[in-house]
């Protein structure tokens, strides 16, 4: 068997994780003894917040009459109760010791954030036998997710896949305006691909006019907060609709941090020349309203939310509730409310 008996995939970005799973499954032969002409592998996805169901165990341990090859994808495995992982660990270890199964390929997904290049895996998991086996055999796949530094390369590669012929100026604009979230970035590139001509070139102003998600969040929030309308709870519903997905909280934190950096830059010496005039004018007004102290507070609010999630002090939902409430308090204070 040319593939691992099981695979551990660590990635905080659901789109990058899905793309990597597609690559792994696409590259894996399904026939016996490495043949590539076997039947199509069935995918069965299970979610850790629902526990390890009877169906999961049946797929893992029982072989059907026709032995159809299967991929068992366990999402968010890091939130499984410790007892459930302890029960699963020896089964995976035994699967490895037997040389793996021709028909069953478990893929255990840990969707945890990375800090300084290292995955924040719960401490009890690396002590389990299945983890030690995967580590020794090189069966652990790590994808840290997108960062401000890696986003331009991702955008360039995804634009090329869509046949987009972007100019250096357009690439710079996208690298600044898109959040470091693969699903959101890919969605915006899909929209731009629909506007491109046969040579992949975009009409003038296409990127300026596109809604890339990040300015929507910051400036719509500022407008609502400055006018004293709506509420943190209502705003949270807006964000859940516009930044939906498993990485919604971290996507908005990344947006907020990048916006704070731009506002600080504007206060300190001016905005980058590649920003569209309308966006630069909006940012200038926001920067003047907040001042240096207010922009610094944006950083504090965003980093406090991120710290709360990563340390386990707050759930993502609780951290987001506090983040939106803190933002409304900040803007309300600046209005003098």
């Amino acid at each position: 068997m040319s593939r691992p008996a099981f695979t551990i995939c660590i990635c905080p970005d659901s789109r990058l994780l899905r793309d990597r799973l597609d690559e792994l499954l696409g590259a894996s032969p399904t026939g016996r003894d490495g043949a590539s002409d076997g039947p199509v592998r069935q995918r069965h996805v299970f979610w850790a917040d629902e526990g390890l169901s009877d169906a999961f165990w049946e797929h893992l341990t029982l072989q059907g009459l026709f032995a159809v090859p299967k991929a068992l994808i366990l999402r968010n495995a890091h939130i499984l109760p410790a007892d459930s992982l302890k029960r699963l660990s020896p089964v995976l270890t035994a699967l490895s010791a037997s040389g793996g199964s021709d028909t069953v390929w478990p893929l255990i997904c840990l969707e945890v954030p990375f800090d300084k290049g290292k995955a924040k895996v719960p401490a009890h998991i690396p002590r389990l036998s299945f983890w030690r086996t995967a580590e020794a055999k090189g069966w652990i796949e790590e994808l840290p997710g997108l960062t401000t530094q890696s986003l331009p390369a991702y955008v360039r590669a995804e634009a090329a896949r869509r046949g987009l012929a972007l100019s250096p100026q357009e690439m710079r604009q996208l690298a600044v305006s898109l959040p470091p979230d693969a699903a959101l970035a890919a969605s915006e590139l899909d929209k731009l691909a629909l506007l491109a001509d046969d040579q992949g070139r975009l009409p003038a102003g296409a990127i300026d006019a596109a809604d890339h998600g990040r300015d929507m969040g910051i400036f719509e929030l500022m407008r609502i907060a400055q006018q004293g309308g709506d509420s943190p709870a209502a705003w949270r519903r807006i964000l859940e609709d516009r930044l939906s997905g498993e990485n919604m909280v971290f996507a908005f934190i990344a947006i907020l941090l990048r916006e704070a950096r731009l506002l600080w830059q504007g206060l300190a010496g001016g905005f980058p020349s590649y920003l569209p005039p309308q966006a630069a004018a909006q940012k200038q007004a926001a920067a003047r309203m907040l001042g240096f102290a207010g922009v610094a507070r944006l950083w504090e609010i965003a980093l406090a939310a991120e710290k709360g999630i990563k340390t386990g002090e707050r759930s993502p939902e609780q951290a987001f509730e506090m983040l939106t409430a803190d933002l409304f308090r900040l803007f309300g204070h600046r209005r003098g409310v």
Side-chain angles (χ1 to χ4, degrees):
M1 188 173 61
S2 59
R3 61 165 175 81
F6 65 90
T7 301
I8 298 174
C9 295
I10 309 174
C11 181
D13 188 305
S14 60
R15 174 60 183 255
L16 292 180
L17 175 63
R18 189 185 71 187
D19 289 347
R20 183 54 183 155
L21 292 174
D22 287 343
E23 290 175 2
L24 291 173
L25 295 174
S28 169
T30 56
R32 296 183 64 86
D33 301 323
S36 58
D37 57 351
V40 175
R41 190 184 303 278
Q42 294 179 353
R43 299 191 190 193
H44 300 271
V45 180
F46 299 89
W47 295 87
D49 58 354
E50 299 173 355
L52 298 181
S53 64
D54 291 342
F56 174 84
W57 289 110
E58 288 173 5
H59 282 299
L60 181 60
T61 59
L62 300 179
Q63 183 169 303
L65 178 63
F66 299 104
V68 176
K70 297 173 288 189
L72 300 189
I73 302 172
L74 178 59
R75 298 289 304 271
N76 285 319
H78 58 286
I79 68 172
L80 273 176
D83 289 345
S84 295
L85 276 174
K86 286 180 180 178
R87 181 185 174 198
L88 176 62
S89 180
V91 177
L92 295 177
T93 305
L95 190 63
S96 170
S98 67
S101 167
D102 289 329
T103 58
V104 178
W105 184 6
L107 295 114
I108 313 301
C109 303
L110 282 71
E111 293 155 67
V112 297
F114 281 64
D115 184 23
K116 298 179 180 179
K118 185 176 181 181
K120 304 288 284 185
V121 177
H124 67 281
I125 297 179
R127 293 196 290 265
L128 297 172
S129 61
F130 87 101
W131 182 279
R132 296 195 299 270
T133 298
E135 197 169 38
K137 294 181 176 290
W139 293 348
I140 300 179
E141 297 269 339
E142 288 190 333
L143 294 87
L146 295 178
T147 64
T148 303
Q149 292 73 32
S150 63
L151 178 62
Y154 178 81
V155 171
R156 191 176 298 109
E158 290 298 307
R161 284 182 56 190
R162 290 161 175 77
L164 288 171
L166 301 179
S167 69
Q169 172 77 0
E170 290 170 331
M171 280 297 308
R172 285 193 295 270
Q173 283 185 251
L174 283 174
V176 169
S177 63
L178 290 174
D181 180 280
L184 293 173
S187 175
E188 291 305 318
L189 287 169
D190 286 340
K191 295 176 188 176
L192 291 174
L194 295 175
L195 301 175
D197 62 19
D198 293 341
Q199 286 74 46
R201 293 173 303 204
L202 296 174
I207 291 181
D208 295 346
D211 175 8
H212 301 312
R214 64 186 298 272
D215 285 344
M216 171 281 299
I218 299 301
F219 289 112
E220 191 173 343
L221 173 56
M222 287 183 175
R223 178 183 58 77
I224 293 172
Q226 288 180 57
Q227 293 173 354
D230 238 317
S231 66
W235 177 248
R236 186 177 185 278
R237 288 195 296 272
I238 293 171
L239 288 178
E240 286 175 334
D241 177 62
R242 297 298 298 276
L243 293 175
S244 60
E246 298 154 30
N247 301 302
M248 183 257 296
V249 182
F250 286 110
F252 186 68
I253 289 173
I255 290 169
L256 188 59
L257 288 171
R258 296 180 67 193
E259 190 64 29
R261 283 193 289 270
L262 269 178
L263 295 181
W264 190 278
Q265 184 177 350
L267 288 171
F271 293 101
S273 59
Y274 52 76
L275 282 178
Q278 182 179 3
Q282 286 180 316
K283 294 178 194 299
Q284 187 62 56
R288 282 197 295 263
M289 180 192 73
L290 290 172
F292 283 108
V295 175
R297 179 64 182 143
L298 286 179
W299 268 307
E300 293 177 1
I301 290 170
L303 293 175
E306 183 175 9
K307 176 178 179 289
I309 297 171
K310 290 182 176 180
T311 60
E313 295 174 3
R314 298 185 181 90
S315 68
E317 292 76 14
Q318 291 169 333
F320 206 3
E321 292 284 0
M322 181 165 290
L323 184 150
T324 50
D326 284 344
L327 287 174
F328 267 72
R329 277 194 292 270
L330 172 63
F331 298 140
H333 174 71
R334 295 290 155 178
R335 292 196 324 268
V337 175

